[in-house]
Amino acid sequence: MGKMTVSVPDDVLKKFKEQCPELNPAEVVRKGIIEKLEELEKFEILKNKGLLESKKFEKLIKKLEEEELI
């Protein structure tokens, strides 16, 4: 398994540890990276199928924005 070093401001890490003492910051970062990659893969599928330019997709995005989900 690969390793990487992530730097965050001291105050951010302190606040994270105070608010989420049960969570491992490295695990949160790892899961965040995995989730982002999954999102990008789904986006690429939609893009390759030409669905990003469709009217249905535009309506969906507008609805999600109206409901403040994105």
Side-chain angles (χ1 to χ4, degrees):
M1 182 178 297
K3 292 184 180 185
M4 64 186 277
T5 300
V6 177
S7 298
V8 295
D10 291 336
D11 59 322
V12 172
L13 184 58
K14 181 181 176 194
K15 187 174 182 178
F16 178 84
K17 287 181 177 182
E18 288 171 355
Q19 292 186 7
C20 309
E22 71 285 358
L23 296 178
N24 178 334
E27 183 66 14
V28 172
V29 172
R30 185 188 70 77
K31 285 182 179 180
I33 291 171
I34 290 169
E35 287 175 10
K36 187 62 173 181
L37 288 172
E38 289 170 352
E39 282 179 22
L40 292 171
E41 288 171 358
K42 290 174 186 175
F43 181 80
E44 193 64 29
I45 290 168
L46 293 173
K47 184 175 152 189
N48 289 339
K49 291 186 176 189
L51 297 174
L52 296 180
E53 293 79 29
S54 73
K55 293 292 180 191
K56 276 181 143 180
F57 184 75
E58 289 175 21
K59 287 179 183 178
L60 174 62
I61 292 297
K62 186 174 181 177
K63 183 173 181 167
L64 291 172
E65 288 173 340
E66 288 170 358
E67 295 178 13
E68 298 180 0
L69 296 173
I70 58 170

